Amino acid sequence: MKRIIIHSDMNSCYASIECSLNPELKGKAVAVGGSVENRHGIILAKTPEAKRCGVTTGEAIWQAKRKCPDLIVVEPHFDIYYKYSRLAKEIYRRYTDRIEPMGLDEAWCDITGSLLLFGSVQNITDEIRKAFKEELGITVSIGVSYNKIFAKLGSDLAGCDEVVTITEDNYKDVVWPLPVSSIMGVGKNTAAKLHGYGIKTVGDLAKRSPEWLKLVFGIHGEDMWRYANGLDTSAVAFDGQEREIKSIGHGITCKADLVNDDEVWKVFLALAQNVSKRLKEEKAEATGVQIAIRDNELSNLQCQCETDLPTQSAFEIAKKALELFRKNYNWRRDVRALTVRAINLQQENTPVQLDFSGEYKRSEKQKKIDDTVMSLRERFGKDAVFNCCLMTEEKAPDMDGKKSPLPVRINMK
Amino acid sequence: MKCRKVFVRVLAEIDEQGSVHPKSVTWEDGREFLIDKVTRVQRACASKTGGTAIRYSIYIGGRQTYLYEDEGKWFVESRV
């Protein structure tokens, strides 16, 4: 049986919610921007009126204001955006139990089994659009198709409060003339590489052989070919179905540029603390560490390596992150933002192959220290124990509204 | 027409099923108005003052109006 999947995308989500909360903003050029003080001063979302003035997501607020002097910039209210996301899900639940969210503002719904109850696809999409307008005061774009990739593409093509349907009969006319970057999973770098091979449209991609694409782009090449040909068969997850966590990361834009390894170490240590806490909550261990560095010219660098042993320790993760940083960063420019990710996760206490180097013993000792610190904090509060070196740290923004307490740094040798 | 949210005190009855039935509304100045009947309960955006809440379509003194409940707080939309 042919599947019917819809992809719903709240239009200019954050900005629309702000306008819904404050009707005086309706019809004006409004943007949601991060805190300028904490150097998060970029545009996160904008209304169509701001878009018409040339304001783009991701640009600095001062750049946006230069293009659109009347632009009203409001601070984000993520707690409210989460609430709207939850309410949106409640609307989808009226029609199906297969709801797979993608971020706060988008979701796939498989409505194949709902048509007998609700009549037609159009009935369902009309009701969803109406519910969003009446109940939440915002609009959605909906894509309808027989696979997730084309459903998502449909919602990208649809205007505010519109529905675009991509079928097996029309996809060659609708999808194939589009730029190759329209397809989900084809980012800026992949698109540039595809352009280099003369692949400019989705149709060009679809007509290449999957073997050749696999050879050039690895397993992802084959995926892209399937996506372009409408052959994606991935299922829409059930509502509430836990998705396998692939990585746990935490990143921050610093209040001032970092200028040496010592400052970088302190930020890594602060970030690794949050990563370690999440790992423990998820009962997972990292077998790899990845870092992302953004310099003050906004160039990005990402690199990763394996850990010696599976770990949850903030100290071990931060140490690995610094090692990676030292190996890969040349300090041509100061550092603006850092991210640390625990990758290649496995369940905690998975048996490991011991070695003769004594690494395991060292790791066990670190684990005991971490557990002790954790229990001290549980008993005496978050501020009971934290790293001495972070008492004077001024450049990492407070992550929980106050300085995050961190595990004791102990020289293991 | 400019409106504002007026937060009000509400006397309500909660039945065995957990459903809330508002019975009266007390205005800012202390005047109390009895609710004749509730005709509809649904989530709706408060279009004049913003936000989303559970909207009770109610009759007071024979006139229809809306009473909103948002996370335990009750309000009506009033002209400034």
Side-chain angles (χ1 to χ4, degrees), chain A residues 132-334:
Chain A
F132 267 91
K133 277 187 283 186
E134 287 183 359
E135 297 178 22
L136 305 181
I138 57 179
T139 56
V140 284
S141 302
I142 297 180
V144 181
S145 193
Y146 58 97
N147 67 61
K148 281 164 76 177
I149 302 297
F150 284 177
K152 157 89 177 126
L153 190 57
S155 75
D156 290 342
L157 295 175
C160 290
D161 196 24
E162 282 181 4
V163 181
V164 166
T165 305
I166 299 173
T167 64
E168 279 172 313
D169 299 326
N170 74 2
Y171 79 91
K172 285 183 185 169
D173 298 328
V174 178
V175 179
W176 282 14
L178 298 171
V180 71
S181 56
S182 319
I183 282 278
M184 202 180 138
V186 179
K188 214 164 63 179
N189 293 337
T190 312
K193 207 171 164 187
L194 285 165
H195 279 202
Y197 289 106
I199 300 170
K200 297 219 160 59
T201 64
V202 180
D204 294 339
L205 177 66
K207 286 171 201 160
R208 286 292 174 114
S209 86
E211 293 80 18
W212 179 81
L213 285 162
K214 193 177 176 186
L215 204 71
V216 179
F217 294 93
I219 192 79
H220 185 50
E222 214 176 350
D223 287 342
M224 289 191 297
W225 179 83
R226 279 192 296 107
Y227 295 169
N229 282 290
L231 299 172
D232 168 56
T233 54
S234 58
V236 177
F238 278 101
D239 183 20
Q241 185 178 328
E242 280 186 26
R243 292 163 78 185
E244 195 188 338
I245 297 173
K246 287 184 178 162
S247 69
I248 292 174
H250 197 62
I252 209 101
T253 301
C254 301
K255 282 180 184 167
D257 289 343
L258 309 176
V259 296
N260 57 43
D261 283 359
D262 193 40
E263 288 182 349
V264 167
W265 163 248
K266 288 175 185 175
V267 175
F268 275 148
L269 203 51
L271 294 171
Q273 167 64 22
N274 292 44
V275 174
S276 162
K277 190 166 169 271
R278 281 288 316 276
L279 279 169
K280 284 182 178 130
E281 283 167 5
E282 299 295 337
K283 299 191 188 320
E285 290 176 333
T287 64
V289 171
Q290 186 181 64
I291 60 167
I293 308 155
R294 176 176 277 201
D295 66 29
N296 58 8
E297 296 279 314
L298 305 183
S299 297
N300 295 307
L301 175 74
Q302 188 167 293
C303 40
Q304 62 187 60
C305 69
E306 285 179 5
T307 57
D308 304 321
L309 285 165
T311 185
Q312 292 178 322
S313 159
F315 180 69
E316 296 287 345
I317 292 167
K319 213 173 69 169
K320 224 42 191 176
L322 185 70
E323 203 179 297
L324 265 173
F325 180 87
R326 282 188 169 145
K327 209 189 271 178
N328 293 286
Y329 198 68
N330 56 17
W331 277 118
R332 265 220 309 264
R333 283 190 281 265
D334 294 340

Side-chain angles (χ1 to χ4, degrees), chain A residues 20-24 26 83-84 86-87 133-137, chain B residues 2 42-53 70-71:
Chain A
S20 167
L21 292 171
N22 181 0
E24 282 183 23
K26 274 184 188 160
K83 176 182 166 183
Y84 273 70
R86 183 173 48 78
L87 294 171
K133 277 187 283 186
E134 287 183 359
E135 297 178 22
L136 305 181
Chain B
K2 227 176 165 187
Q42 65 178 135
R43 178 164 286 284
C45 70
S47 54
K48 293 174 196 157
T49 55
T52 176
D70 183 25
E71 293 174 2

Side-chain angles (χ1 to χ4, degrees), chain A residues 5-11 13 84-93 96 98-111 128 132 140-144 147-148 151-153 155-156 184 236-237 239 243:
Chain A
I5 294 168
I6 64 172
H7 182 270
S8 166
D9 185 352
M10 295 191 228
N11 301 131
C13 179
Y84 273 70
S85 180
R86 183 173 48 78
L87 294 171
K89 223 170 163 190
E90 279 177 22
I91 293 175
Y92 304 136
R93 272 194 204 116
T96 179
R98 297 192 87 124
I99 304 161
E100 185 178 330
M102 189 170 87
L104 279 181
D105 57 340
E106 299 179 28
W108 282 286
C109 305
D110 188 331
I111 55 165
I128 289 176
F132 267 91
V140 284
S141 302
I142 297 180
V144 181
N147 67 61
K148 281 164 76 177
K152 157 89 177 126
L153 190 57
S155 75
D156 290 342
M184 202 180 138
V236 177
D239 183 20
R243 292 163 78 185

Side-chain angles (χ1 to χ4, degrees), chain A residues 338-389:
Chain A
L338 287 172
T339 300
V340 179
R341 282 185 207 101
I343 57 168
N344 304 335
L345 304 185
Q346 64 176 38
Q347 268 201 327
E348 68 180 355
N349 299 325
T350 303
V352 289
Q353 177 68 52
L354 302 184
D355 60 11
F356 296 110
S357 67
E359 188 60 34
Y360 180 72
K361 261 190 173 173
R362 208 180 62 81
S363 162
E364 276 287 280
K365 204 167 163 187
Q366 180 65 45
K367 193 171 180 309
K368 275 184 192 160
I369 295 165
D370 286 342
D371 290 346
T372 310
V373 169
M374 191 67 91
S375 62
L376 277 171
R377 283 191 196 146
E378 272 168 20
R379 265 182 84 179
F380 302 109
K382 286 206 308 177
D383 299 325
V385 187
F386 61 92
N387 290 71
C388 192
C389 73

